[in-house]
Amino acid sequence: RTNLELSFNYQDRPYYRRDLSRVSWAYSWRSMNGRYSYQLRPIDINWINVGYINEEFFSSLENEYLRQSYLTQAIVGLSGSYTYNNQGKNPNGNATLMRANFESSGNLLNLFGVLFSEKKDDGMYRLLGVRYSQYVRGDLSVSRKISLGERTALAGRVFAGVGVPYGNSTALPFDRMFYVGGSNSMRGWTPRTLGPGNTPAQNPPYPVQMGDMRLEANLEFRFPVWGMFNGATFLDMGNVWYIDSSKGEVPADGVFHFDKFYKQLGLNTGLGLRVDITFVILRLDWGIQLHNPNAPMGERWIHNFKWKNTALNFGVGYPF
């Protein structure tokens, strides 16, 4: 199939107001058995216009890297994805789902920019007066469901993703940065409130804890309760990090290092309720933090289960 995709998204948040426009030309195809599917977007244009940003919020961002990610910018490049799913013929049996995504932005524009235009005072090229992003980004998600009965199953997922800005970008765009927390990720936290690394939590706690890299693992036991109601217990582990501190723009505690990243993983457990109304599954998960890497040293393993160390997340469908 060949698809022309157009979208417009207007966001009015307490801290900023912006609109996102997107145009893409996409080719998609799948195997005869339906297990393998592919999508390639050789033309993928995103225009992010930040019309308003709260000065108090923006000035609170001491991380210059993060400040750059909130600027108006254009994303012009290509993207693609690959999906493997073997659940189609046996919905209640064992199943494996794998998704891989890749995108690249700004490389062709940078070539023409170098040849036919001059850099502005900040050392960056522009497209119609707006700075364009240049980066590569990829992620991989693999999940496995093991059926233990008609409505009982053990499900797990591992996720890894990384993005690298370069050339005409000093930071990944806000929408291309990785975060954890929420209904489909670290469920002991609300979205964008965990990480990066051991960086101390902000005060006030603006939801801006994001990074260039994400590692996460999830395990969930699903079981029937009564009628259309099902339950789950789960365990989530993960965090986000920056990948480079050479420019001094990101906090040192938030940079990924092989010799200590495992000490910076957040850990939570919790209980979930699922309502299966045939055509859709409504989900409510209550996550409880066990290890918070953003807390002061000596207080990261949580023994006093207060409400502030929990999160209630609503979702539609299974988390993975």
Side-chain angles (χ1 to χ4, degrees):
R1 294 183 179 180
T2 303
N3 304 310
L4 174 63
E5 302 170 349
L6 306 173
S7 69
F8 179 80
N9 188 330
Y10 175 77
Q11 298 179 350
D12 190 355
R13 303 282 296 164
Y15 315 122
Y16 57 83
R17 184 170 58 250
R18 61 184 190 152
D19 53 81
L20 300 88
S21 304
R22 182 181 185 184
V23 179
S24 69
W25 186 269
Y27 301 102
S28 60
W29 62 99
R30 65 174 56 200
S31 62
M32 293 295 292
N33 59 17
R35 292 187 177 185
Y36 307 91
S37 60
Y38 311 83
Q39 188 167 65
L40 175 65
R41 297 184 181 91
I43 301 175
D44 197 352
I45 303 173
N46 296 260
W47 201 273
I48 304 172
N49 177 50
V50 182
Y52 161 79
I53 189 164
N54 182 279
E55 288 297 331
E56 181 181 354
F57 163 68
F58 195 66
S59 61
S60 72
L61 302 176
E62 300 177 358
N63 181 346
E64 181 60 28
Y65 184 100
L66 193 56
R67 291 167 65 94
Q68 291 292 321
S69 73
Y70 276 91
L71 300 179
T72 295
Q73 53 196 300
I75 301 174
V76 182
L78 61 87
S79 62
S81 63
Y82 163 79
T83 303
Y84 170 80
N85 188 350
N86 66 356
Q87 190 171 2
K89 292 186 176 180
N90 187 12
N92 295 322
N94 298 345
T96 299
L97 173 63
M98 180 173 68
R99 291 191 179 99
N101 300 291
F102 171 80
E103 61 181 293
S104 173
S105 175
N107 294 311
L108 187 60
L109 281 178
N110 192 255
L111 173 62
F112 285 104
V114 171
L115 293 176
F116 302 111
S117 65
E118 297 180 358
K119 289 184 178 181
K120 299 298 183 180
D121 294 338
D122 60 359
M124 300 297 177
Y125 295 103
R126 298 292 197 276
L127 174 65
L128 301 178
V130 174
R131 196 174 84 185
Y132 59 85
S133 299
Q134 191 173 11
Y135 64 87
V136 292
R137 183 186 188 275
D139 62 73
L140 175 67
S141 172
V142 180
S143 60
R144 175 70 174 170
K145 185 190 77 171
I146 301 175
S147 179
L148 303 176
E150 184 177 350
R151 294 170 57 191
T152 305
L154 184 66
R157 177 186 65 175
V158 292
F159 180 97
V162 64
V164 181
Y166 58 92
N168 210 52
S169 286
T170 56
L172 289 176
F174 173 80
D175 299 89
R176 298 303 190 266
M177 298 182 78
F178 293 96
Y179 69 91
V180 289
S183 62
N184 297 319
S185 183
M186 300 291 297
R187 286 165 281 184
W189 284 263
T190 53
R192 301 182 180 89
T193 57
L194 171 61
N198 287 134
T199 305
Q202 277 195 325
N203 189 20
Y206 292 114
V208 294
Q209 281 128 286
M210 299 178 290
D212 304 319
M213 179 178 182
R214 172 185 164 194
L215 294 176
E216 186 174 349
N218 316 89
L219 188 65
E220 181 171 287
F221 177 63
R222 301 166 182 170
F223 54 89
V225 176
W226 177 73
M228 67 175 66
F229 297 97
N230 299 303
T233 60
F234 54 83
L235 188 69
D236 303 319
M237 178 174 62
N239 205 339
V240 293
W241 295 265
Y242 296 112
I243 60 173
D244 184 13
S245 61
S246 60
K247 297 180 181 179
E249 298 172 340
V250 300
D253 290 340
V255 178
F256 179 86
H257 295 284
F258 279 103
D259 59 345
K260 67 175 184 179
F261 81 93
Y262 59 92
K263 301 177 183 178
Q264 300 173 325
L265 294 171
L267 180 65
N268 69 252
T269 187
L271 300 172
L273 178 66
R274 288 90 167 93
V275 183
D276 187 348
I277 51 178
T278 306
F279 61 90
V280 71
I281 294 175
L282 304 179
R283 175 167 50 89
L284 191 64
D285 290 326
W286 183 49
I288 306 168
Q289 298 173 17
L290 300 177
H291 182 256
N292 183 357
N294 304 121
M297 185 69 73
E299 302 177 19
R300 292 174 181 171
W301 286 101
I302 298 172
H303 305 288
N304 53 334
F305 295 105
K306 298 181 179 179
W307 182 256
K308 68 176 183 178
N309 297 327
T310 70
L312 195 61
N313 290 292
F314 174 79
V316 178
Y318 288 113
F320 49 85

